[in-house]
């Protein structure tokens, strides 16, 4: 995370970011004691808080606002403008004879949405803990969802401080903007949504 120097304070409201973090951190902590309907409402509200663009415009030439999330023990981040919601799907239906990173499809508010295992796609090992939540990605509409172990928070990163990502296999290096000093893998949202390997050919 970057320091709030005078230059960046003019384009990013750090107090507002801290408040949003504190508010979002109050949810999901007690969801095991809630009904499925209550849990779903909390997840939807938290996702809206996470994906909301701040009132003050970020200078995207220098600062990137990201949603930080976990897949097993690995931590990732993606630009908040690509995050539509965080939710728990009622069911995920497997699709036979597809690559291992395709978990299946789920019904999100009447729309069939593909669910992806991002760790398998990128060739990054992760533990096998249950991942009951999905992060829905897209711009104007859901494109696909990725299974996640949990959401951390919204944060800001300096673009010029990102390092070369380590441990990302083959051509999927192009899906990464870089890696933070703490080892946070930052996804390129535009490249991710444009990756043909993440879409099922429904003509077959």
């Amino acid at each position: 995370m970057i320091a709030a120097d005078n230059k960046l304070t003019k384009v990013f409201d750090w107090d507002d970011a801290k408040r949003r973090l504190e508010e979002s951190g109050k949810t999901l902590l007690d969801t095991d004691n809630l009904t499925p309907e209550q849990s779903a409402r909390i997840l939807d509200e938290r996702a809206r808080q996470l994906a909301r663009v701040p009132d003050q415009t970020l200078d995207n030439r220098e600062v990137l606002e990201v949603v930080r999330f976990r897949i097993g023990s690995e931590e990732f981040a993606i630009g908040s403008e690509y995050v539509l919601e965080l939710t728990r799907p009622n069911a995920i239906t497997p699709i036979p004879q597809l690559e291992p990173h395709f978990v299946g499809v789920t019904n999100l508010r009447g729309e069939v949405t593909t669910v992806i295992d991002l760790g398998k796609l990128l060739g990054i090992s992760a533990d096998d803990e249950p991942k009951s939540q999905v992060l829905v990605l897209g711009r104007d509409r859901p494109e696909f969802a990725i299974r996640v172990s949990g959401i951390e928070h919204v944060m800001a990163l300096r673009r010029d401080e990102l390092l070369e990502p380590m441990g990302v296999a083959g051509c999927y290096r192009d899906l990464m903007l870089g890696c933070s000093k703490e080892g946070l893998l930052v996804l390129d949202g535009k490249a991710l949504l444009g990756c043909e390997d993440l879409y099922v050919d429904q003509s077959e």
Side-chain angles (χ1 to χ4, degrees), residues 169-175 197:
C171 62
Y172 296 119
R173 164 64 185 86
D174 294 338
L175 300 181
D197 291 347

Side-chain angles (χ1 to χ4, degrees), residues 92-128:
I92 298 177
T93 303
I95 307 175
Q97 299 180 340
L98 289 180
E99 290 80 358
H101 62 267
F102 285 106
V103 178
V105 294
T106 189
N107 189 320
L108 295 179
R109 297 178 178 82
E111 185 165 355
V112 176
T113 304
T114 305
V115 180
I116 304 295
D117 186 323
L118 192 61
K120 289 183 178 179
L121 175 75
L122 298 177
I124 298 174
S125 61
D127 62 31
D128 294 326

Side-chain angles (χ1 to χ4, degrees), residues 29-115:
L29 297 178
D30 298 317
T31 52
D32 291 339
N33 300 322
L34 300 176
T35 66
E37 292 77 13
Q38 291 172 324
S39 179
R41 285 196 296 270
I42 290 175
L43 286 168
D44 287 344
E45 176 59 27
R46 189 182 191 205
R48 283 192 292 270
Q49 293 174 355
L50 289 172
R52 182 175 62 83
V53 177
D55 294 334
Q56 289 183 297
T57 303
L58 291 174
D59 185 348
N60 289 329
R61 294 170 300 179
E62 299 180 2
V63 182
L64 178 68
E65 185 188 64
V66 298
V67 175
R68 183 169 179 166
F69 60 94
R70 289 182 295 104
I71 299 178
S73 59
E74 298 289 343
E75 292 201 351
F76 295 84
I78 188 171
S80 60
E81 68 268 31
Y82 300 102
V83 177
L84 297 182
E85 64 175 310
L86 172 71
T87 188
R88 296 183 191 272
N90 292 326
I92 298 177
T93 303
I95 307 175
Q97 299 180 340
L98 289 180
E99 290 80 358
H101 62 267
F102 285 106
V103 178
V105 294
T106 189
N107 189 320
L108 295 179
R109 297 178 178 82
E111 185 165 355
V112 176
T113 304
T114 305
V115 180

